[in-house]
């Protein structure tokens, strides 16, 4: 096939090669994690283009879940190779008969008759693949052979979906890039954070469901507290000359936020999921043209929204999910003419119960606390300089955060940063990092014999070490003991658990579940055990 002048960046080539190597090595469901703005659509368009010659006449299927993502994918595929025959399958459209690459909505493929009509698929690409644990995706992927040897590539900016299951879909994350790398290499702009503290916003009254704050209660709390007027004032004070996007938890809050901004002299318009398609397109076009300065939205711009001139992001949807936070803030980090940085306005309330995501969660590395007035890169550089003065580095690489975060196994971490899996009161498994490398050794501790290595004691890359140790955990302990989503974990802590915490001097956060308290106890015990051991240098 003829290549075009649409040349991929070096890291995009590396991502494609990592996928091809993974497939050649016999693993077929592989994921790539790239920050918003890294051009994942470009990557999978080049991937599709390059793979077609190797598929023996079979075709490529690209699966997406929103109209904007489908249209983006189709147009980018044609930009990479105008000679490609690209078909779209969604709703009334059914253009797949003569297509080399089919871009389809997962909702349409969920209809058995529609997916059965599509044949000869030799490669599956899943956009925003952190959704792939949903039942609909699983059915569609299984139909097209994802568990029967057909190579599958998933692309996302985050692999931290809170309801689990992703480890059953994706066998390995073969390539990832951190936002700090993108900023440092000049592919994304730096970001500065500013807290908007609303004293009357009591987030402790907002309940948690599925790992995050409940949207309806959060929206009501924002409106009742006067937070929307505070946001409008902050926008005038700090971002009066910036185009921006405001993320809110509900449609009503998005509409109210737009009115508050308009009242403060900032032209604004709301968009939401059930808004008429033509009306939403027209509103987005007005924003792109500069006729509207700020878009307020109820979580519809977290994926597939591409407006590089956006230089302010207002998170008026406090969240406990780093993944969701990255999706929101990432909308403002693309480069554009005349744009020097992005401003993040973070709406904060009174909260002692919830650990909310913040600017430092944009990177999966440990960079310390966000500082008012300092950009993410400056915060990271300050932290890195401090780390060099320490004997033991505690930085967490991006792959560590995401691999452990997406696992079905309950991984915990001691105070000094050692990852472990607790099997029972007398045994746990842990990873020991080789000094000066990114390799790990697997270790088991038992009360009777202390620490002992496996027979084949070799240092391995993190994904291999993690998979090896998780396999051991499944063999050595009942599923309910080691599963991150075990049913018992969501219950109330027992009197025995709470009594033990009191004796150990461990403070239990208000609203903690049985699983949360068990984690506190295990982290304390394993930390004390390992702290008393003198481990040989790995």
């Amino acid at each position: 096939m003829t290549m075009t002048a649409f040349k991929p960046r070096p890291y995009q080539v590396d991502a494609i090669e990592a996928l091809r190597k993974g497939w050649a090595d016999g693993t077929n469901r592989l994921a790539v994690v790239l920050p918003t703005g890294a051009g994942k659509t470009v990557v999978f368009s080049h991937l599709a283009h390059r793979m077609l010659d190797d598929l023996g006449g079979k075709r490529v299927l690209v699966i997406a879940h929103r109209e904007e993502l489908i249209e983006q994918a189709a147009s980018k595929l044609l930009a990479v190779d105008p000679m490609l025959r690209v078909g779209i399958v969604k709703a009334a459209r059914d253009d797949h008969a003569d297509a080399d690459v089919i871009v389809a909505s997962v909702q349409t493929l969920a209809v058995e008759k529609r997916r059965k009509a599509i044949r000869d698929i030799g490669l599956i690409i899943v956009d925003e693949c952190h959704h792939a644990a949903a039942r609909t995706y699983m059915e569609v992927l299984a139909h097209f052979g994802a568990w029967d040897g057909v190579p599958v590539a998933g692309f996302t900016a985050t692999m931290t979906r809170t309801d689990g299951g992703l480890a059953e879909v994706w066998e390995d994350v073969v390539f990832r890039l951190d936002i700090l790398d993108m900023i440092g290499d000049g592919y994304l702009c730096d970001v500065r954070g500013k807290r908007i503290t609303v004293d009357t916003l009591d987030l402790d009254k907002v309940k948690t469901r599925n790992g995050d704050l409940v949207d309806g209660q959060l929206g009501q709390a924002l409106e009742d507290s006067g937070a929307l007027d505070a946001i409008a004032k902050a926008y005038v004070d700090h971002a009066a000359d910036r185009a921006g996007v405001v993320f809110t938890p509900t449609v009503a809050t998005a509409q109210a936020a737009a009115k508050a901004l308009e009242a403060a002299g900032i032209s604004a318009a709301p968009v939401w999921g059930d808004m008429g398609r033509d009306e939403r397109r027209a509103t987005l076009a007005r924003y792109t043209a500069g006729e509207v300065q700020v878009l307020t939205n109820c979580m519809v711009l977290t994926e597939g929204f591409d407006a590089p001139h956006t230089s302010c992001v207002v998170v008026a949807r406090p969240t406990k999910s780093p993944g969701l936070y990255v999706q929101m803030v990432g909308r403002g980090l693309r480069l554009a003419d005349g744009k020097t940085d992005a401003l993040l306005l973070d709406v904060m309330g009174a909260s002692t119960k919830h650990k909310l995501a913040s600017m430092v969660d944009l990177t999966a590395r440990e960079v310390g606390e966000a500082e008012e007035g300092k950009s993410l890169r400056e915060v990271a550089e300050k932290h890195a300089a401090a780390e060099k003065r320490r004997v033991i580095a505690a930085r967490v690489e991006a792959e560590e955060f995401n691999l452990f975060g997406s696992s079905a196994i309950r991984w915990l971490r001691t105070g000094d940063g050692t990852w472990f899996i607790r099997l029972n009161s007398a045994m746990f498994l842990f990873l020991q990092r080789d000094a000066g490398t990114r390799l790990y050794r697997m270790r088991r501790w038992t009360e009777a014999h202390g620490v002992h290595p496996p027979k084949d004691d070799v240092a391995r890359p993190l994904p291999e070490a993690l998979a090896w140790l998780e396999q051991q955990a499944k063999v050595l302990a009942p599923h309910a003991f080691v599963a991150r989503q075990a049913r018992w974990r969501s219950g109330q802590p027992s009197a025995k658990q709470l009594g033990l915490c009191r004796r150990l001097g461990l403070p239990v956060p208000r609203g903690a579940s049985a699983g949360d308290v068990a984690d506190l106890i295990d982290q304390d015990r394993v930390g004390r055990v390992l702290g008393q051991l003198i481990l040989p240098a790995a």
Side-chain angles (χ1 to χ4, degrees):
M1 294 208 169
T2 305
M3 281 299 291
T4 71
F6 201 94
K7 189 176 180 181
R9 295 168 176 172
Y11 67 82
Q12 294 171 335
V13 174
D14 291 344
I16 291 170
E17 292 311 310
L19 285 165
R20 298 187 68 157
K21 182 179 184 302
W23 291 326
D25 291 343
T27 309
N28 72 300
R29 298 188 309 280
L30 304 175
V32 169
V33 179
L34 292 171
T36 301
K40 61 181 172 57
T41 314
V42 173
V43 178
F44 70 63
S45 296
H46 277 281
L47 174 68
H49 171 94
R50 294 186 185 187
M51 287 289 290
L52 277 170
D53 287 337
D54 300 332
L55 297 181
K58 292 193 173 183
R59 303 173 312 158
V60 178
L61 174 65
V62 178
I63 302 173
H65 73 290
R66 292 206 14 237
E67 180 180 351
E68 290 88 350
L69 298 172
I70 293 166
E71 299 294 344
Q72 273 185 27
S75 63
K76 200 69 72 177
L77 282 157
L78 289 171
V80 166
D81 184 355
M83 301 303 292
L84 276 180
R85 291 172 297 180
V86 179
I88 291 179
V89 173
K90 71 177 180 70
R93 296 182 67 175
D94 204 26
D95 311 325
H96 62 80
D98 298 318
D100 302 310
V101 182
I102 302 160
V103 185
S105 86
V106 69
Q107 294 88 346
T108 300
L109 296 180
V111 179
E112 186 177 15
K113 180 181 177 181
R114 298 294 294 271
R115 65 176 178 259
K116 279 190 171 181
I118 299 173
R119 301 183 182 277
D120 301 321
I121 298 302
L123 169 66
I124 306 167
I125 294 171
V126 182
D127 194 9
E128 303 295 353
C129 70
H130 54 283
H131 296 292
R135 182 181 58 82
T136 302
Y137 275 88
M138 297 281 273
E139 287 180 358
V140 170
L141 288 171
H143 171 82
F144 287 105
W147 278 266
D148 300 312
V150 175
V152 187
F155 292 84
T156 181
T158 175
M159 196 66 93
T160 56
R161 179 168 165 160
T162 54
D163 58 356
L166 287 167
E168 279 69 52
V169 181
W170 304 111
E171 296 172 273
D172 197 3
V173 177
V174 291
F175 187 86
R176 61 182 70 248
L177 201 62
D178 193 81
I179 278 181
L180 272 174
D181 294 323
M182 295 285 292
I183 292 172
D185 292 342
Y187 292 121
L188 293 179
C189 68
D190 206 353
V191 56
R192 296 180 183 277
K194 183 83 179 171
R195 288 192 182 98
I196 305 173
T197 302
V198 182
D199 294 335
T200 53
L201 176 60
D202 186 358
L203 295 177
D204 283 349
K205 292 182 179 178
V206 178
K207 292 183 179 178
T208 296
R209 184 184 301 139
N210 297 326
D212 205 358
L213 303 177
V214 176
D215 288 341
Q217 292 183 17
L218 183 55
Q220 195 63 53
L222 284 163
E223 293 177 52
D224 292 346
S225 67
L228 302 183
D229 291 332
I231 290 167
K233 182 179 185 306
Y235 208 99
V236 171
D237 291 345
H238 304 291
D241 58 345
R242 293 176 181 258
V245 175
V246 180
F247 289 94
T248 69
T250 66
V251 174
T253 319
Q255 294 169 336
K259 289 179 181 177
L261 285 160
E262 288 276 354
I266 301 289
S267 62
V271 291
W272 59 93
D274 293 332
M275 189 179 193
R277 185 176 66 175
D278 292 342
E279 185 182 1
R280 187 164 75 188
R281 281 184 171 177
T283 302
L284 294 176
R286 288 171 61 210
Y287 176 71
T288 301
E291 297 168 14
V292 170
Q293 184 177 347
V294 178
L295 286 177
T296 63
N297 80 105
C298 174
M299 309 312 294
V300 297
L301 304 181
T302 56
E303 299 166 349
F305 172 66
D306 188 7
H309 77 298
T310 302
S311 65
C312 181
V313 174
V314 181
V315 178
R317 197 270 175 248
T319 177
K320 298 168 74 170
S321 166
L324 176 57
Y325 192 85
V326 168
Q327 293 279 13
M328 291 188 283
V329 180
R331 300 297 127 191
L333 303 188
R334 293 181 186 270
L335 301 178
D337 290 341
K339 180 177 172 182
T340 57
D341 64 8
L343 176 65
L344 165 62
L345 298 180
D346 228 340
V347 179
M348 309 295 287
S351 177
T352 58
K353 182 169 70 173
H354 305 299
K355 184 186 183 303
L356 301 176
S358 67
M359 186 179 78
V360 295
D361 289 302
L362 295 177
T363 173
R365 297 175 186 165
E366 183 66 51
V367 295
E369 296 294 323
E371 293 185 43
E372 199 80 1
K374 286 193 179 296
S375 71
L376 179 62
R377 188 175 182 181
E378 289 166 347
V379 169
E381 288 172 350
K382 179 180 176 181
H383 181 79
E387 289 296 280
K388 288 178 182 178
R389 296 192 293 268
R390 297 180 185 178
V391 177
I392 300 175
R395 190 172 74 177
V396 181
E397 297 295 339
E399 64 177 339
E400 296 177 31
F401 179 89
N402 284 314
L403 278 172
F404 289 106
S406 60
S407 170
I409 295 294
R410 173 184 166 230
W411 282 94
L412 294 173
R413 210 166 186 207
T414 64
D416 69 354
T418 301
W419 290 102
F420 71 92
I421 304 172
R422 185 261 199 188
L423 303 179
N424 56 48
S425 60
M427 179 165 50
F428 61 85
L429 307 175
F430 67 100
L431 290 178
Q432 183 181 359
R433 191 163 184 168
D434 259 13
T437 75
R438 292 171 63 101
L439 301 177
Y440 292 79
R441 293 180 187 270
M442 292 67 72
R443 296 288 183 260
R444 186 197 308 181
W445 177 90
T446 61
E447 198 167 48
H449 303 291
V451 176
H452 43 109
K455 289 181 181 178
D456 183 20
D457 186 16
V458 296
R460 305 172 190 268
L462 182 64
E464 292 179 24
L466 179 142
W468 191 96
L469 217 62
E470 290 193 353
Q471 185 59 40
Q472 292 298 303
K474 292 174 183 176
V475 171
L476 294 169
H479 177 73
F481 283 21
V482 297
R484 192 160 55 91
Q485 299 293 330
R487 188 174 298 173
W488 67 268
R489 293 181 57 81
S490 60
Q492 294 294 317
S494 68
K496 185 177 179 181
Q497 282 183 308
L498 295 175
L500 181 54
C501 283
R502 281 193 297 272
R503 289 196 299 277
L504 295 172
L506 299 175
V508 177
R510 187 168 49 168
S513 67
D516 295 333
V517 176
D519 291 348
L520 285 173
I521 294 168
D522 288 344
Q523 285 168 314
D524 177 76
R525 181 161 189 265
V526 172
R528 283 188 286 108
V529 167
L530 292 179
Q532 293 168 4
L533 297 174
I534 300 176
L535 296 174

